[in-house]
Amino acid sequence: MTRFALTLEFDGSPYQGLQRQKHGPSVQQAVEEAAHRITGEDAQLLSAGRTDTGVHALAMRSHMDIEKDFTPFRFMEALNGQLRPHPIAVTACEEVDEDWHARFSCTGRRYLYRIINRRAPLTFGRNRAWQVSPELDVEAMQRAAQALIGKHDFTTFRSVRCQAKDPVKTLDLLEVKRATTELGPEIHVHAAARSFLHHQVRSMVGCLKLVGMGTWAESEVAEALAARDRQRLGYNAPPHGLYFVEALYPAGD
């Protein structure tokens, strides 16, 4: 049995999220079915994080245990061949120790949220970013975001369907800044933590957008956090602007 660590890139638009779902297609299902066609084995894909319907990934770390003899390169090439035409790619594959676990060995996770701040309809950015037409005050959003950094009870920013036992999380980074991409100017929200609650990033971004529009004062983000009440949430940003960027592991893993 060989444990392969995979790095997955995917467009989440056609899927009901990363994990298998009874009510629709998932990234996990697509990868497991591809592996079955190659090996004849019912291998399970386990990943560093979960994603909602429509959420994307630039570098999701996952692993699979395979009995059939493969080199990492051959397994990656075979998976990519079988995954076509799914918008999923295995961008890296390596053999790891049997005690390495994509989820439980992970020590940090990073997300990016993309906002395209313009009035003209999106073409290339459609389903890849959140379009907000009114001009946003990025500096105010950045100042308000600082109240969320550190160890807090994030109940306000937690989905009612969240399965985490504890709403207390430590947010290491929440940064709002302007960015220039090949599609033009954007606003990027970067978030990093050991782990996140369900909808936490989207909920934080939604409230920061209200600050950027002037609908909320900067202080209201801190007040919403202190309330520890989901009813105080201002807005939940849509999923299609969110990207899982990176999973972090101890040195050597």
Side-chain angles (χ1 to χ4, degrees):
M1 184 79 72
T2 302
R3 177 159 293 184
F4 289 105
L6 310 175
T7 302
L8 302 178
E9 175 185 283
F10 58 82
D11 171 1
S13 303
Y15 304 107
Q16 299 295 313
L18 171 60
Q19 289 198 307
R20 273 189 177 266
Q21 304 290 335
K22 295 180 179 179
H23 56 279
S26 68
V27 175
Q28 180 182 0
Q29 177 185 351
V31 176
E32 289 177 350
E33 289 178 352
H36 181 78
R37 288 192 292 272
I38 297 163
T39 67
E41 302 169 30
D42 294 324
Q44 184 179 13
L45 182 78
L46 298 169
S47 300
R50 304 176 66 168
T51 63
D52 289 330
T53 301
V55 174
H56 317 294
L58 301 179
M60 175 63 73
R61 290 281 276 175
S62 307
H63 77 259
M64 302 187 88
D65 293 334
I66 302 295
E67 293 183 7
K68 191 172 181 178
D69 187 27
F70 277 101
T71 65
F73 178 77
R74 281 188 59 227
F75 188 50
M76 178 176 68
E77 289 289 284
L79 281 175
N80 282 330
Q82 290 295 327
L83 281 167
R84 296 187 183 97
H86 289 280
I88 303 169
V90 182
T91 60
C93 178
E94 59 186 315
E95 191 174 327
V96 292
D97 294 337
E98 62 180 14
D99 61 349
W100 186 89
H101 196 286
R103 177 185 174 190
F104 297 120
S105 299
C106 185
T107 58
R109 295 158 176 87
R110 293 201 307 115
Y111 284 88
L112 163 68
Y113 198 98
R114 295 176 57 207
I115 298 173
I116 297 181
N117 194 194
R118 75 181 200 189
R119 295 190 61 82
L122 299 185
T123 53
F124 296 109
R126 189 177 182 184
N127 294 326
R128 306 292 186 279
W130 184 19
Q131 181 182 9
V132 178
S133 296
E135 184 175 355
L136 298 178
D137 185 338
V138 177
E139 289 71 24
M141 294 168 68
Q142 168 65 6
R143 289 191 297 268
Q146 304 317 295
L148 301 177
I149 295 175
K151 186 177 182 179
H152 303 288
D153 182 330
F154 282 96
T155 295
T156 300
F157 302 92
R158 175 189 193 183
S159 167
V160 294
R161 295 180 293 148
C162 182
Q163 297 178 358
K165 295 180 180 179
D166 190 347
V168 176
K169 295 291 180 182
T170 299
L171 186 63
D172 299 318
L173 172 74
L174 189 62
E175 182 179 49
V176 186
K177 61 182 183 180
R178 301 180 192 277
T180 301
T181 73
E182 64 277 8
L183 300 179
E186 298 185 9
I187 298 169
H188 288 179
V189 182
H190 299 271
R194 184 180 183 90
S195 61
F196 290 88
L197 300 168
H198 189 206
H199 284 184
Q200 183 181 345
V201 176
R202 290 170 52 195
S203 296
M204 295 188 300
V205 170
C207 291
L208 293 176
K209 177 252 194 183
L210 295 179
V211 172
M213 292 179 61
T215 305
W216 272 22
E218 295 175 28
S219 60
E220 289 186 75
V221 173
E223 292 167 5
L225 174 69
R228 293 178 290 182
D229 181 358
R230 185 68 175 174
Q231 298 301 314
R232 287 294 307 274
L233 179 71
Y235 196 83
N236 203 36
H240 53 264
L242 184 60
Y243 295 74
F244 184 98
V245 172
E246 184 181 20
L248 303 175
Y249 296 88
D253 284 4

